[in-house]
Amino acid sequence: MFTLATWNINSVRLREPLVARFLTEEAPDILCLQETKSPVEKIPLEIFRSLGYTHLVARGQKGYNGVAILSKLPIEDAGDRDYASLGHARHVAARLENGITIHNVYVPAGGDIPDREQNVKFGQKLDFLTEMRDAFHADNPKKSILVGDLNIAPREDDVWNHKALLKIVSHTPIEVEHLAAAQDAGKWVDVTRNDIREGRLYSWWSYRAKDWDAADKGRRLDHIWATPDIVNAGHDSRILRPVRGWEQPSDHVPVLASFDL
DNA sequence: ATGGTCGTTAGACGA
């Protein structure tokens, strides 16, 4: 059995103490981070190594984006894709010794206006998802887990107000359709929703709310998916809402699942 | 309906 977590950390260097606290308290076997905002060589690895996370694959750039997989388990092979040819560090993959491949993805946020004619970033987000779709259609992934900040809340109960968010980037129908197309192409199953089938689930709350907890205007942007051949091994999904209340938090919280593999 | 807050890094840009 192994436990896996995904967390948009919004600067791994600034939040090194929070990552260390999370690794100490929850001790997942694997932690996938997004928005590390750091070149790979500047990720603070010593503290993570000291906590048992001696294996790392990461992609980074200065100031923006960045993804990393910290692991207690050995990593046999690694790779990355540049979906939509943006030149951004938004994907890294690792294969474990048990043959499981983990994809860690940071989908572009997409800007404010949900129209590719008026907003280049929205078009890039859709193109990124389309290229993910095409890659998974070609790859036919097996024994694979995909996690990350997908920057889309697909279900009505993944947002605080479905109707109010239909024209807000992250919950527009065209984004939900593009995400579903990428998901279907790899036959990915939403592990979190396979485990927790009903009720509102959020993994992100804006920094801009006066009182994020009281307002509770959240969205489920962070996801764990698995291919059908291993999805039944997944269990004990959790979203760690209290982490949003830690000192100097990320606006995202960790999402976890365990796999009997 | 609008503006609200962060992080990086040094004036915006991105989320």
Side-chain angles (χ1 to χ4, degrees):
Chain A
M1 200 270 280
F2 67 90
T3 302
L4 175 147
T6 179
W7 191 9
N8 177 318
I9 195 61
N10 188 13
S11 175
V12 68
R13 283 184 278 172
L14 184 70
R15 279 183 249 288
E16 174 186 355
L18 276 75
V19 176
R21 176 177 171 185
F22 171 71
L23 293 176
T24 302
E25 292 184 4
E26 295 293 334
D29 293 289
I30 298 160
L31 172 60
C32 296
L33 296 171
Q34 303 87 34
E35 269 205 280
T36 50
K37 291 187 172 176
S38 175
V40 173
E41 65 274 15
K42 293 193 174 179
I43 296 174
L45 288 181
E46 278 315 307
I47 183 78
F48 306 147
R49 280 204 194 98
S50 74
L51 292 168
Y53 298 83
T54 53
H55 304 92
L56 169 84
V57 296
R59 299 292 182 266
Q61 57 188 96
K62 198 173 88 169
Y64 303 104
N65 310 316
V67 286
I69 303 175
L70 299 170
S71 179
K72 291 183 170 186
L73 309 171
I75 292 169
E76 278 200 329
D77 198 11
D80 62 71
R81 302 286 291 254
D82 181 15
Y83 299 118
S85 302
L86 301 173
H88 296 173
R90 294 183 176 275
H91 171 256
V92 69
R95 195 177 67 241
L96 307 178
E97 286 178 331
N98 60 9
I100 302 295
T101 298
I102 294 165
H103 292 274
N104 181 12
V105 185
Y106 175 45
V107 173
D112 288 331
I113 304 169
D115 177 351
R116 72 188 309 153
E117 304 301 325
Q118 296 179 59
N119 169 16
V120 171
K121 289 206 273 286
F122 192 74
Q124 291 174 343
K125 181 178 196 175
L126 299 180
D127 293 345
F128 189 99
L129 292 163
T130 297
E131 291 202 12
M132 268 182 55
R133 178 200 69 187
D134 293 344
F136 290 132
H137 186 74
D139 288 356
N140 187 24
K142 303 272 197 251
K143 294 179 72 175
S144 296
I145 297 169
L146 183 151
V147 307
D149 176 5
L150 305 185
N151 264 317
I152 296 172
R155 291 174 33 148
E156 293 191 15
D157 53 1
D158 289 337
V159 295
W160 66 278
N161 185 327
H162 167 63
K163 275 191 74 177
L165 289 175
L166 276 171
K167 293 181 177 174
I168 303 297
V169 173
S170 74
H171 193 61
T172 64
I174 191 168
E175 289 170 87
V176 173
E177 286 163 15
H178 277 67
L179 184 68
Q183 184 176 359
D184 292 349
K187 300 187 169 62
W188 298 103
V189 179
D190 182 336
V191 172
T192 307
R193 279 302 188 182
N194 201 38
D195 261 2
I196 309 169
R197 297 192 168 242
E198 305 202 354
R200 294 189 189 276
L201 288 179
Y202 311 142
S203 65
W204 173 90
W205 293 261
S206 172
Y207 282 128
R208 295 174 188 176
K210 278 196 181 116
D211 183 339
W212 71 273
D213 196 22
D216 200 21
K217 295 182 174 179
R219 308 175 198 169
R220 187 173 70 107
L221 304 179
D222 303 275
H223 300 267
I224 299 179
W225 293 350
T227 49
D229 51 345
I230 61 166
V231 70
N232 288 334
H235 59 91
D236 286 339
S237 292
R238 288 183 295 149
I239 302 183
L240 299 192
R241 179 184 178 109
V243 172
R244 185 62 176 79
W246 287 3
E247 187 78 15
Q248 201 171 28
S250 169
D251 44 355
H252 297 250
V253 299
V255 179
L256 296 96
S258 296
F259 290 86
D260 291 327
L261 291 168

